[in-house]
Amino acid sequence: MREWASFDTIIKGKGIWLIDSKGNKIIDAVGSMWCNVWGHSNPQLVKAITKQTKQIQHSSLFNLTNEPAEKLAKNLIKISPGMNKVFFSDNGSSAMEIAIKMALQYWKNIGQTKKTQIATVENGYHGDTFGAMSVGYVPEFFGKFKKQLFSTIQFPVPNKYRIPKGFTYLDYQKDCLEKIEKRFSKNDDIAAFIMESGAQMAGGVIIYPKNFQSKISKLCKKYNILFVLDEIATGFGRLGSMVQYQEQQSTPDIVAYGKMLTGGYLTMAATLANKKIYDSFSGEFNDWKHLFHGHTYTGNPIAAAVANENIQMYKKYSLIKRIQKTSKIFLKYYEEILDIDIVGDIRHKGMLMGIELVSNKEKKIPIQTKKSINKVFFEEGKKQGIYLRTLGNIVMIVPPLSIQDNELELLLKRTIKTIQASKSKII
Ligand SMILES: Cc1ncc(COP(=O)(O)O)c(C=O)c1O
Protein backbone atom coordinates (compact mmCIF):
# COMPACT_ATOMS: atom_id res chain seq x y z
CA MET A 1 0.00 0.00 0.00
CA ARG A 2 2.95 2.31 0.54
CA GLU A 3 2.99 3.08 -3.18
CA TRP A 4 -0.29 4.98 -2.64
CA ALA A 5 1.05 7.57 -0.19
CA SER A 6 -1.10 10.27 -1.74
CA PHE A 7 -4.08 10.42 -4.04
CA ASP A 8 -5.21 12.93 -6.65
CA THR A 9 -8.42 14.62 -5.59
CA ILE A 10 -11.27 14.57 -8.07
CA ILE A 11 -13.38 17.68 -7.70
CA LYS A 12 -15.57 17.59 -10.77
CA GLY A 13 -16.87 15.36 -13.53
CA LYS A 14 -18.35 16.11 -16.93
CA GLY A 15 -19.39 13.36 -19.32
CA ILE A 16 -16.57 10.81 -19.59
CA TRP A 17 -14.09 13.24 -18.00
CA LEU A 18 -12.85 13.46 -14.42
CA ILE A 19 -11.21 16.71 -13.35
CA ASP A 20 -8.81 16.87 -10.40
CA SER A 21 -7.96 19.69 -8.02
CA LYS A 22 -4.96 20.65 -10.17
CA GLY A 23 -7.15 21.04 -13.22
CA ASN A 24 -6.02 17.80 -14.95
CA LYS A 25 -8.68 16.15 -17.12
CA ILE A 26 -8.65 12.37 -17.46
CA ILE A 27 -10.99 9.97 -19.27
CA ASP A 28 -12.85 7.73 -16.82
CA ALA A 29 -11.93 4.38 -18.43
CA VAL A 30 -13.04 2.61 -15.26
CA GLY A 31 -16.57 4.03 -15.31
CA SER A 32 -15.95 5.01 -11.65
CA MET A 33 -15.70 1.32 -10.65
CA TRP A 34 -17.82 -0.03 -13.50
CA CYS A 35 -21.04 1.77 -12.58
CA ASN A 36 -21.24 4.94 -14.66
CA VAL A 37 -23.87 4.95 -17.38
CA TRP A 38 -24.48 8.50 -18.68
CA GLY A 39 -21.18 10.14 -17.82
CA HIS A 40 -20.71 12.54 -14.93
CA SER A 41 -23.00 15.45 -14.04
CA ASN A 42 -25.80 14.39 -16.36
CA PRO A 43 -28.48 17.13 -15.95
CA GLN A 44 -31.44 14.72 -16.03
CA LEU A 45 -30.03 12.52 -13.30
CA VAL A 46 -28.93 15.49 -11.22
CA LYS A 47 -32.45 16.94 -11.56
CA ALA A 48 -34.04 13.66 -10.42
CA ILE A 49 -31.83 13.70 -7.32
CA THR A 50 -32.50 17.36 -6.52
CA LYS A 51 -36.25 16.97 -6.99
CA GLN A 52 -36.45 14.00 -4.66
CA THR A 53 -34.17 15.68 -2.11
CA LYS A 54 -36.82 18.36 -1.65
CA GLN A 55 -39.56 15.78 -0.91
CA ILE A 56 -38.13 13.21 1.48
CA GLN A 57 -34.46 12.36 1.77
CA HIS A 58 -34.67 9.14 3.67
CA SER A 59 -37.45 7.19 5.26
CA SER A 60 -36.97 3.55 6.13
CA LEU A 61 -38.54 0.50 4.53
CA PHE A 62 -39.13 -0.96 7.99
CA ASN A 63 -42.93 -0.91 8.53
CA LEU A 64 -43.18 1.81 5.83
CA THR A 65 -42.56 2.29 2.18
CA ASN A 66 -41.91 5.21 -0.17
CA GLU A 67 -43.05 6.09 -3.67
CA PRO A 68 -39.71 6.02 -5.53
CA ALA A 69 -38.82 2.60 -4.08
CA GLU A 70 -42.26 1.19 -4.98
CA LYS A 71 -41.93 2.56 -8.51
CA LEU A 72 -38.42 1.16 -8.84
CA ALA A 73 -39.55 -2.30 -7.72
CA LYS A 74 -42.19 -2.23 -10.48
CA ASN A 75 -39.65 -1.02 -13.05
CA LEU A 76 -37.22 -3.79 -12.12
CA ILE A 77 -39.86 -6.50 -12.29
CA LYS A 78 -40.92 -5.18 -15.71
CA ILE A 79 -37.43 -5.59 -17.16
CA SER A 80 -36.66 -8.91 -15.42
CA PRO A 81 -38.61 -11.84 -16.88
CA GLY A 82 -39.53 -14.50 -14.35
CA MET A 83 -38.90 -12.29 -11.33
CA ASN A 84 -41.66 -11.41 -8.91
CA LYS A 85 -40.40 -9.38 -5.93
CA VAL A 86 -37.56 -7.01 -5.09
CA PHE A 87 -35.45 -6.69 -1.94
CA PHE A 88 -33.44 -3.45 -1.80
CA SER A 89 -30.01 -2.89 -0.28
CA ASP A 90 -27.30 -0.31 -0.72
CA ASN A 91 -24.36 -2.09 -2.34
CA GLY A 92 -23.63 -5.14 -4.46
CA SER A 93 -21.98 -7.19 -1.71
CA SER A 94 -25.08 -6.82 0.46
CA ALA A 95 -27.32 -7.74 -2.48
CA MET A 96 -25.35 -10.98 -2.76
CA GLU A 97 -25.48 -11.64 0.99
CA ILE A 98 -29.25 -11.33 0.68
CA ALA A 99 -29.30 -13.68 -2.31
CA ILE A 100 -27.33 -16.28 -0.33
CA LYS A 101 -29.61 -15.96 2.70
CA MET A 102 -32.75 -16.17 0.55
CA ALA A 103 -31.46 -19.30 -1.18
CA LEU A 104 -30.46 -21.09 2.02
CA GLN A 105 -33.59 -20.10 3.93
CA TYR A 106 -35.88 -21.05 1.05
CA TRP A 107 -35.16 -24.74 1.65
CA LYS A 108 -35.67 -24.38 5.41
CA ASN A 109 -38.94 -22.55 4.81
CA ILE A 110 -40.27 -25.43 2.74
CA GLY A 111 -39.07 -27.99 5.27
CA GLN A 112 -36.05 -29.28 3.36
CA THR A 113 -33.16 -29.38 5.78
CA LYS A 114 -30.64 -31.37 3.75
CA LYS A 115 -29.91 -28.66 1.20
CA THR A 116 -27.24 -26.56 2.87
CA GLN A 117 -24.34 -26.45 0.41
CA ILE A 118 -23.59 -23.68 -2.09
CA ALA A 119 -22.03 -24.44 -5.46
CA THR A 120 -20.04 -21.77 -7.29
CA VAL A 121 -17.41 -21.37 -9.98
CA GLU A 122 -13.69 -20.84 -9.47
CA ASN A 123 -12.54 -17.22 -9.49
CA GLY A 124 -16.02 -15.78 -9.24
CA TYR A 125 -16.32 -12.43 -7.48
CA HIS A 126 -19.41 -11.24 -5.63
CA GLY A 127 -18.12 -8.61 -3.22
CA ASP A 128 -15.96 -8.18 -0.14
CA THR A 129 -18.23 -9.11 2.78
CA PHE A 130 -17.82 -12.55 4.31
CA GLY A 131 -20.69 -14.35 2.61
CA ALA A 132 -19.85 -12.74 -0.72
CA MET A 133 -16.18 -13.66 -0.28
CA SER A 134 -17.12 -17.26 0.51
CA VAL A 135 -19.15 -17.73 -2.67
CA GLY A 136 -16.72 -15.77 -4.82
CA TYR A 137 -13.43 -17.06 -3.66
CA VAL A 138 -10.47 -15.40 -5.43
CA PRO A 139 -7.32 -16.73 -3.69
CA GLU A 140 -5.29 -13.52 -4.17
CA PHE A 141 -8.01 -11.35 -2.63
CA PHE A 142 -9.40 -13.53 0.12
CA GLY A 143 -6.67 -16.04 1.03
CA LYS A 144 -5.99 -14.37 4.38
CA PHE A 145 -9.56 -15.08 5.54
CA LYS A 146 -9.84 -18.61 4.22
CA LYS A 147 -10.40 -20.11 7.68
CA GLN A 148 -13.28 -17.77 8.43
CA LEU A 149 -15.09 -18.25 5.12
CA PHE A 150 -17.76 -20.94 4.73
CA SER A 151 -16.89 -23.72 2.34
CA THR A 152 -18.46 -23.99 -1.09
CA ILE A 153 -18.29 -26.52 -3.90
CA GLN A 154 -16.35 -24.93 -6.77
CA PHE A 155 -16.31 -25.82 -10.43
CA PRO A 156 -13.98 -24.61 -13.19
CA VAL A 157 -15.03 -22.17 -15.91
CA PRO A 158 -13.71 -22.66 -19.44
CA ASN A 159 -11.15 -19.97 -20.27
CA LYS A 160 -10.65 -19.84 -24.03
CA TYR A 161 -7.12 -18.47 -23.63
CA ARG A 162 -5.98 -21.27 -21.37
CA ILE A 163 -7.40 -24.49 -22.73
CA PRO A 164 -5.82 -27.52 -21.02
CA LYS A 165 -3.46 -29.63 -23.13
CA GLY A 166 -5.18 -32.26 -25.22
CA PHE A 167 -8.57 -30.52 -25.11
CA THR A 168 -10.44 -28.51 -27.73
CA TYR A 169 -12.42 -25.54 -26.43
CA LEU A 170 -15.58 -27.61 -26.85
CA ASP A 171 -14.13 -30.59 -24.97
CA TYR A 172 -13.12 -28.22 -22.20
CA GLN A 173 -16.64 -26.83 -21.91
CA LYS A 174 -18.11 -30.33 -21.89
CA ASP A 175 -15.65 -31.38 -19.22
CA CYS A 176 -16.59 -28.43 -16.99
CA LEU A 177 -20.28 -29.22 -17.37
CA GLU A 178 -19.74 -32.93 -16.75
CA LYS A 179 -17.93 -32.14 -13.50
CA ILE A 180 -20.95 -30.11 -12.40
CA GLU A 181 -23.46 -32.81 -13.32
CA LYS A 182 -21.39 -35.53 -11.69
CA ARG A 183 -21.45 -33.69 -8.35
CA PHE A 184 -25.09 -32.64 -8.68
CA SER A 185 -26.16 -36.24 -9.22
CA LYS A 186 -24.07 -37.61 -6.35
CA ASN A 187 -25.77 -35.96 -3.41
CA ASP A 188 -28.94 -33.95 -2.92
CA ASP A 189 -27.27 -31.45 -0.57
CA ILE A 190 -26.84 -28.38 -2.81
CA ALA A 191 -29.13 -25.45 -2.07
CA ALA A 192 -28.00 -23.11 -4.85
CA PHE A 193 -25.57 -22.57 -7.68
CA ILE A 194 -24.24 -19.00 -7.71
CA MET A 195 -22.39 -17.36 -10.60
CA GLU A 196 -21.82 -14.04 -12.32
CA SER A 197 -24.08 -13.68 -15.34
CA GLY A 198 -22.45 -13.66 -18.79
CA ALA A 199 -18.85 -13.25 -17.69
CA GLN A 200 -16.53 -13.17 -14.73
CA MET A 201 -15.30 -9.64 -14.22
CA ALA A 202 -12.82 -9.35 -11.34
CA GLY A 203 -11.80 -13.00 -11.82
CA GLY A 204 -10.09 -12.08 -15.10
CA VAL A 205 -12.73 -11.01 -17.65
CA ILE A 206 -13.63 -14.57 -18.57
CA ILE A 207 -16.51 -14.44 -21.04
CA TYR A 208 -18.54 -17.64 -20.92
CA PRO A 209 -18.91 -19.62 -24.13
CA LYS A 210 -22.32 -19.68 -25.77
CA ASN A 211 -24.82 -21.89 -23.93
CA PHE A 212 -22.51 -22.52 -20.95
CA GLN A 213 -24.67 -20.54 -18.53
CA SER A 214 -27.92 -21.86 -19.96
CA LYS A 215 -26.67 -25.45 -19.61
CA ILE A 216 -25.86 -24.84 -15.95
CA SER A 217 -29.32 -23.38 -15.42
CA LYS A 218 -30.83 -26.51 -16.98
CA LEU A 219 -28.74 -28.76 -14.73
CA CYS A 220 -29.98 -26.77 -11.74
CA LYS A 221 -33.59 -27.40 -12.81
CA LYS A 222 -32.91 -31.08 -13.41
CA TYR A 223 -31.37 -31.57 -9.95
CA ASN A 224 -33.69 -29.25 -8.03
CA ILE A 225 -31.03 -26.66 -7.18
CA LEU A 226 -31.74 -22.92 -7.04
CA PHE A 227 -29.99 -20.91 -9.76
CA VAL A 228 -28.69 -17.57 -8.50
CA LEU A 229 -27.18 -14.95 -10.80
CA ASP A 230 -25.07 -11.94 -10.04
CA GLU A 231 -25.72 -9.24 -12.68
CA ILE A 232 -24.24 -6.47 -10.54
CA ALA A 233 -21.39 -5.78 -12.94
CA THR A 234 -22.61 -7.47 -16.13
CA GLY A 235 -26.28 -6.50 -16.37
CA PHE A 236 -27.80 -3.15 -17.32
CA GLY A 237 -25.99 -3.06 -20.66
CA ARG A 238 -22.38 -3.67 -19.63
CA LEU A 239 -22.23 -6.80 -21.82
CA GLY A 240 -24.62 -5.37 -24.41
CA SER A 241 -28.00 -6.54 -23.02
CA MET A 242 -30.23 -4.93 -20.45
CA VAL A 243 -30.69 -8.25 -18.70
CA GLN A 244 -27.81 -10.60 -19.39
CA TYR A 245 -29.70 -13.73 -18.29
CA GLN A 246 -32.20 -13.18 -21.09
CA GLU A 247 -29.40 -13.21 -23.65
CA GLN A 248 -27.97 -16.29 -21.94
CA GLN A 249 -31.40 -17.99 -21.92
CA SER A 250 -31.04 -18.87 -18.28
CA THR A 251 -33.78 -17.46 -16.08
CA PRO A 252 -32.60 -17.60 -12.45
CA ASP A 253 -34.57 -18.05 -9.24
CA ILE A 254 -32.75 -15.08 -7.71
CA VAL A 255 -30.82 -12.27 -9.39
CA ALA A 256 -28.86 -9.29 -8.03
CA TYR A 257 -28.39 -5.87 -9.64
CA GLY A 258 -26.22 -2.99 -8.44
CA LYS A 259 -23.56 -0.70 -9.87
CA MET A 260 -25.36 0.79 -12.93
CA LEU A 261 -28.80 0.68 -11.29
CA THR A 262 -28.62 4.37 -10.34
CA GLY A 263 -26.55 5.31 -13.38
CA GLY A 264 -23.58 5.27 -11.02
CA TYR A 265 -24.79 8.29 -9.02
CA LEU A 266 -25.89 6.88 -5.68
CA THR A 267 -25.43 3.66 -3.82
CA MET A 268 -28.22 1.13 -4.27
CA ALA A 269 -28.60 -2.54 -5.13
CA ALA A 270 -31.47 -4.98 -5.49
CA THR A 271 -32.02 -8.71 -5.10
CA LEU A 272 -34.96 -10.03 -7.11
CA ALA A 273 -36.66 -13.35 -6.53
CA ASN A 274 -39.24 -15.39 -8.39
CA LYS A 275 -42.66 -16.22 -6.98
CA LYS A 276 -41.62 -19.65 -5.72
CA ILE A 277 -38.94 -18.09 -3.52
CA TYR A 278 -41.14 -15.21 -2.38
CA ASP A 279 -44.08 -17.46 -1.47
CA SER A 280 -41.87 -19.60 0.76
CA PHE A 281 -41.18 -16.54 2.93
CA SER A 282 -44.79 -15.54 3.39
CA GLY A 283 -46.45 -17.13 6.39
CA GLU A 284 -48.13 -16.13 9.61
CA PHE A 285 -46.02 -14.15 12.11
CA ASN A 286 -45.54 -17.23 14.24
CA ASP A 287 -44.27 -19.31 11.34
CA TRP A 288 -40.99 -17.31 11.48
CA LYS A 289 -40.49 -17.49 7.76
CA HIS A 290 -39.40 -13.86 7.42
CA LEU A 291 -36.11 -12.93 5.89
CA PHE A 292 -34.34 -11.26 8.79
CA HIS A 293 -32.32 -8.78 6.83
CA GLY A 294 -32.40 -5.03 6.45
CA HIS A 295 -30.09 -2.05 6.17
CA THR A 296 -30.57 1.52 7.36
CA TYR A 297 -30.63 2.90 3.82
CA THR A 298 -32.63 0.09 2.23
CA GLY A 299 -34.86 1.60 -0.47
CA ASN A 300 -33.50 5.12 0.00
CA PRO A 301 -35.91 7.43 -1.89
CA ILE A 302 -33.22 9.63 -3.49
CA ALA A 303 -31.29 6.61 -4.79
CA ALA A 304 -34.56 5.05 -5.98
CA ALA A 305 -35.61 8.27 -7.73
CA VAL A 306 -32.37 8.51 -9.68
CA ALA A 307 -32.57 4.77 -10.52
CA ASN A 308 -36.08 5.30 -11.93
CA GLU A 309 -34.85 8.20 -14.07
CA ASN A 310 -31.88 6.12 -15.20
CA ILE A 311 -34.09 3.21 -16.31
CA GLN A 312 -36.40 5.60 -18.10
CA MET A 313 -33.41 7.08 -19.96
CA TYR A 314 -32.25 3.63 -21.17
CA LYS A 315 -35.56 3.42 -23.04
CA LYS A 316 -35.76 7.03 -24.14
CA TYR A 317 -32.27 7.05 -25.64
CA SER A 318 -32.22 3.39 -26.81
CA LEU A 319 -29.03 2.89 -24.85
CA ILE A 320 -28.74 -0.85 -25.40
CA LYS A 321 -28.83 -0.40 -29.20
CA ARG A 322 -26.26 2.37 -28.86
CA ILE A 323 -23.95 0.18 -26.80
CA GLN A 324 -24.20 -2.61 -29.36
CA LYS A 325 -23.19 -0.17 -32.11
CA THR A 326 -20.46 1.72 -30.27
CA SER A 327 -19.02 -1.53 -28.91
CA LYS A 328 -17.87 -2.40 -32.46
CA ILE A 329 -15.21 0.32 -32.13
CA PHE A 330 -13.30 -2.05 -29.84
CA LEU A 331 -12.89 -4.48 -32.77
CA LYS A 332 -11.08 -1.84 -34.84
CA TYR A 333 -8.27 -1.80 -32.28
CA TYR A 334 -7.94 -5.55 -31.62
CA GLU A 335 -4.99 -6.08 -33.94
CA GLU A 336 -3.08 -3.03 -32.81
CA ILE A 337 -3.48 -4.02 -29.17
CA LEU A 338 -2.63 -7.69 -29.78
CA ASP A 339 0.50 -6.63 -31.67
CA ILE A 340 2.01 -5.20 -28.50
CA ASP A 341 4.55 -7.76 -27.32
CA ILE A 342 3.25 -7.95 -23.73
CA VAL A 343 -0.38 -8.47 -24.75
CA GLY A 344 -1.38 -12.14 -24.74
CA ASP A 345 -5.13 -11.97 -25.14
CA ILE A 346 -8.06 -9.59 -25.52
CA ARG A 347 -11.48 -10.44 -24.17
CA HIS A 348 -14.31 -8.14 -25.10
CA LYS A 349 -18.08 -8.01 -24.89
CA GLY A 350 -20.34 -4.95 -24.99
CA MET A 351 -18.70 -2.12 -23.06
CA LEU A 352 -16.09 -4.31 -21.42
CA MET A 353 -12.60 -5.18 -22.52
CA GLY A 354 -9.94 -7.11 -20.63
CA ILE A 355 -6.40 -7.04 -21.96
CA GLU A 356 -4.23 -9.81 -20.54
CA LEU A 357 -0.55 -8.95 -20.09
CA VAL A 358 2.02 -11.71 -20.45
CA SER A 359 5.79 -11.89 -20.26
CA ASN A 360 5.92 -14.64 -22.90
CA LYS A 361 3.29 -14.74 -25.62
CA GLU A 362 4.06 -18.31 -26.74
CA LYS A 363 3.94 -19.75 -23.26
CA LYS A 364 1.20 -17.38 -22.09
CA ILE A 365 3.06 -16.62 -18.88
CA PRO A 366 1.23 -13.88 -16.94
CA ILE A 367 3.38 -10.84 -16.20
CA GLN A 368 4.65 -10.99 -12.66
CA THR A 369 6.58 -8.22 -11.04
CA LYS A 370 7.35 -7.01 -7.54
CA LYS A 371 5.90 -3.65 -8.54
CA SER A 372 2.19 -2.91 -8.57
CA ILE A 373 1.13 -3.22 -12.23
CA ASN A 374 -1.95 -1.23 -11.30
CA LYS A 375 0.12 1.66 -9.98
CA VAL A 376 2.36 1.70 -13.07
CA PHE A 377 -0.65 1.74 -15.39
CA PHE A 378 -2.40 4.35 -13.30
CA GLU A 379 0.62 6.71 -13.47
CA GLU A 380 1.28 6.13 -17.16
CA GLY A 381 -2.42 6.40 -17.93
CA LYS A 382 -2.59 9.72 -16.16
CA LYS A 383 0.20 11.05 -18.37
CA GLN A 384 -1.91 10.05 -21.39
CA GLY A 385 -5.02 11.66 -19.87
CA ILE A 386 -6.83 8.48 -18.91
CA TYR A 387 -7.91 6.88 -15.62
CA LEU A 388 -6.98 3.23 -16.02
CA ARG A 389 -6.86 0.32 -13.60
CA THR A 390 -5.57 -3.21 -13.83
CA LEU A 391 -6.68 -6.24 -11.87
CA GLY A 392 -3.64 -8.46 -11.55
CA ASN A 393 -2.25 -8.74 -15.06
CA ILE A 394 -5.51 -7.68 -16.75
CA VAL A 395 -6.04 -4.12 -17.99
CA MET A 396 -9.74 -3.40 -17.54
CA ILE A 397 -11.57 -1.05 -19.88
CA VAL A 398 -15.02 -0.38 -18.45
CA PRO A 399 -16.12 3.06 -19.67
CA PRO A 400 -19.38 4.92 -19.04
CA LEU A 401 -21.96 3.01 -21.08
CA SER A 402 -23.09 6.00 -23.14
CA ILE A 403 -19.58 6.83 -24.34
CA GLN A 404 -19.63 8.23 -27.89
CA ASP A 405 -17.78 6.58 -30.79
CA ASN A 406 -15.11 9.30 -31.02
CA GLU A 407 -14.60 9.26 -27.25
CA LEU A 408 -14.10 5.48 -27.24
CA GLU A 409 -11.60 5.83 -30.11
CA LEU A 410 -9.67 8.37 -28.05
CA LEU A 411 -9.80 6.14 -24.97
CA LEU A 412 -8.47 3.14 -26.89
CA LYS A 413 -5.68 5.14 -28.56
CA ARG A 414 -4.62 6.40 -25.14
CA THR A 415 -4.81 2.88 -23.70
CA ILE A 416 -2.46 1.60 -26.39
CA LYS A 417 0.01 4.40 -25.61
CA THR A 418 -0.29 3.60 -21.90
CA ILE A 419 0.48 -0.09 -22.42
CA GLN A 420 3.48 0.79 -24.57
CA ALA A 421 4.76 3.31 -22.04
CA SER A 422 4.22 0.93 -19.10
CA LYS A 423 6.01 -2.00 -20.71
CA SER A 424 9.57 -1.15 -19.72
CA LYS A 425 8.45 -0.45 -16.16
CA ILE A 426 6.89 -3.85 -15.47
CA ILE A 427 9.18 -6.24 -17.35
C1 LIG B 1 -19.94 -9.23 -10.01
C2 LIG B 1 -19.89 -8.40 -8.77
N1 LIG B 1 -20.70 -8.69 -7.75
C3 LIG B 1 -20.71 -7.96 -6.62
C4 LIG B 1 -19.86 -6.87 -6.47
C5 LIG B 1 -19.87 -6.10 -5.18
O1 LIG B 1 -20.48 -4.88 -5.35
P1 LIG B 1 -20.14 -3.67 -4.34
O2 LIG B 1 -18.75 -3.25 -4.63
O3 LIG B 1 -21.17 -2.63 -4.68
O4 LIG B 1 -20.30 -4.19 -2.96
C6 LIG B 1 -19.01 -6.53 -7.51
C7 LIG B 1 -18.11 -5.38 -7.38
O5 LIG B 1 -17.22 -5.15 -8.15
C8 LIG B 1 -19.00 -7.31 -8.69
O6 LIG B 1 -18.18 -7.05 -9.72
Side-chain angles (χ1 to χ4, degrees):
M1 263 315 278
R2 285 209 186 112
E3 77 275 15
W4 293 103
S6 69
F7 294 103
D8 300 328
T9 308
I10 297 302
I11 55 162
K12 235 171 137 170
K14 187 101 189 87
I16 62 161
W17 299 93
L18 292 169
I19 299 135
D20 72 18
S21 55
K22 293 180 190 132
N24 299 313
K25 261 179 84 180
I26 48 174
I27 299 176
D28 187 357
V30 177
S32 287
M33 258 358 270
W34 316 347
C35 64
N36 194 285
V37 178
W38 301 101
H40 299 280
S41 305
N42 177 281
Q44 274 172 261
L45 294 179
V46 172
K47 192 173 161 200
I49 293 173
T50 333
K51 193 171 161 207
Q52 183 56 40
T53 309
K54 290 175 188 159
Q55 291 293 317
I56 175 77
Q57 306 71 45
H58 183 59
S59 154
S60 97
L61 284 200
F62 291 78
N63 294 7
L64 292 170
T65 186
N66 66 68
E67 282 179 346
E70 289 294 320
K71 187 172 165 191
L72 180 56
K74 286 196 186 98
N75 278 334
L76 290 176
I77 293 302
K78 226 186 266 171
I79 62 168
S80 310
M83 295 301 115
N84 188 251
K85 293 283 173 192
V86 179
F87 198 109
F88 288 116
S89 55
D90 44 19
N91 63 78
S93 308
S94 299
M96 288 310 295
E97 297 286 339
I98 293 160
I100 297 164
K101 283 168 83 172
M102 274 181 185
L104 291 172
Q105 194 181 324
Y106 164 79
W107 295 109
K108 293 240 162 75
N109 283 352
I110 64 162
Q112 231 299 7
T113 51
K114 256 176 63 188
K115 283 184 171 279
T116 55
Q117 297 292 315
I118 301 270
T120 61
V121 284
E122 287 166 7
N123 282 309
Y125 178 83
H126 302 285
D128 285 344
T129 50
F130 273 81
M133 285 198 282
S134 301
V135 299
Y137 188 71
V138 181
E140 296 82 7
F141 302 168
F142 307 142
K144 300 227 164 51
F145 306 103
K146 197 164 186 196
K147 272 195 175 163
Q148 283 78 25
L149 301 177
F150 64 75
S151 65
T152 59
I153 304 158
Q154 291 198 352
F155 298 101
V157 163
N159 176 350
K160 200 175 179 184
Y161 184 54
R162 290 204 158 76
I163 299 169
K165 249 196 180 151
F167 280 73
T168 64
Y169 188 36
L170 261 179
D171 293 338
Y172 186 15
Q173 294 169 40
K174 261 176 96 181
D175 187 61
C176 291
L177 290 164
E178 276 166 16
K179 283 191 170 98
I180 295 174
E181 178 149 26
K182 200 168 160 206
R183 177 59 180 83
F184 279 12
S185 59
K186 206 171 98 187
N187 197 338
D188 192 22
D189 57 347
I190 301 177
F193 191 100
I194 299 181
M195 68 193 291
E196 286 159 85
S197 190
Q200 292 186 314
M201 292 278 287
V205 187
I206 309 297
I207 293 155
Y208 307 142
K210 201 164 181 248
N211 297 329
F212 181 69
Q213 184 168 317
S214 91
K215 282 182 180 158
I216 295 178
S217 81
K218 285 191 185 109
L219 286 176
C220 285
K221 283 214 171 64
K222 183 171 168 189
Y223 291 98
N224 196 24
I225 290 165
L226 297 178
F227 187 50
V228 178
L229 286 176
D230 177 346
E231 296 224 355
I232 289 160
T234 53
F236 271 71
R238 178 58 65 199
L239 299 187
S241 314
M242 189 68 188
V243 173
Q244 187 50 213
Y245 72 73
Q246 258 190 303
E247 185 189 322
Q248 301 285 342
Q249 300 184 326
S250 57
T251 304
D253 296 285
I254 299 170
V255 63
Y257 299 131
K259 296 213 185 260
M260 289 148 295
L261 178 55
T262 64
Y265 280 41
L266 283 172
T267 175
M268 175 169 251
T271 310
L272 280 68
N274 65 16
K275 190 170 181 313
K276 172 176 97 173
I277 304 287
Y278 175 74
D279 284 349
S280 81
F281 285 84
S282 82
E284 296 304 323
F285 177 72
N286 265 342
D287 296 337
W288 292 103
K289 287 185 170 176
H290 331 35
L291 180 67
F292 282 94
H293 196 106
H295 296 283
T296 308
Y297 288 102
T298 293
N300 174 264
I302 305 175
V306 70
N308 284 323
E309 185 65 21
N310 177 39
I311 292 172
Q312 199 267 106
M313 287 169 69
Y314 270 78
K315 276 183 244 149
K316 186 170 172 191
Y317 300 114
S318 308
L319 183 61
I320 299 300
K321 268 199 191 135
R322 239 177 91 180
I323 292 168
Q324 287 164 357
K325 187 179 148 283
T326 304
S327 160
K328 296 200 175 98
I329 302 276
F330 281 104
L331 306 179
K332 261 176 77 177
Y333 289 85
Y334 260 45
E335 248 177 74
E336 202 178 335
I337 299 173
L338 265 175
D339 269 353
I340 305 174
D341 50 4
I342 57 165
V343 173
D345 192 29
I346 295 178
R347 300 188 276 277
H348 156 238
K349 191 169 183 191
M351 274 299 157
L352 166 71
M353 184 183 255
I355 302 168
E356 178 155 352
L357 306 175
V358 291
S359 54
N360 183 320
K361 271 197 198 236
E362 296 266 294
K363 293 186 181 149
K364 303 183 179 181
I365 300 171
I367 281 202
Q368 277 179 331
T369 159
K370 284 198 172 126
K371 281 192 201 151
S372 157
I373 300 176
N374 179 36
K375 174 76 170 167
V376 170
F377 269 74
F378 174 73
E379 293 298 345
E380 290 305 320
K382 226 166 54 172
K383 288 183 201 156
Q384 304 296 335
I386 175 172
Y387 169 35
L388 211 54
R389 266 181 62 80
T390 67
L391 266 172
N393 65 324
I394 316 282
V395 182
M396 307 279 293
I397 304 183
V398 199
L401 293 177
S402 64
I403 191 167
Q404 308 271 349
D405 291 11
N406 59 339
E407 293 172 330
L408 186 56
E409 299 242 9
L410 184 64
L411 186 162
L412 291 167
K413 283 179 188 153
R414 290 183 177 188
T415 303
I416 291 167
K417 283 190 184 153
T418 305
I419 302 173
Q420 279 159 343
S422 303
K423 204 172 76 178
S424 62
K425 303 202 162 88
I426 53 171
I427 289 235

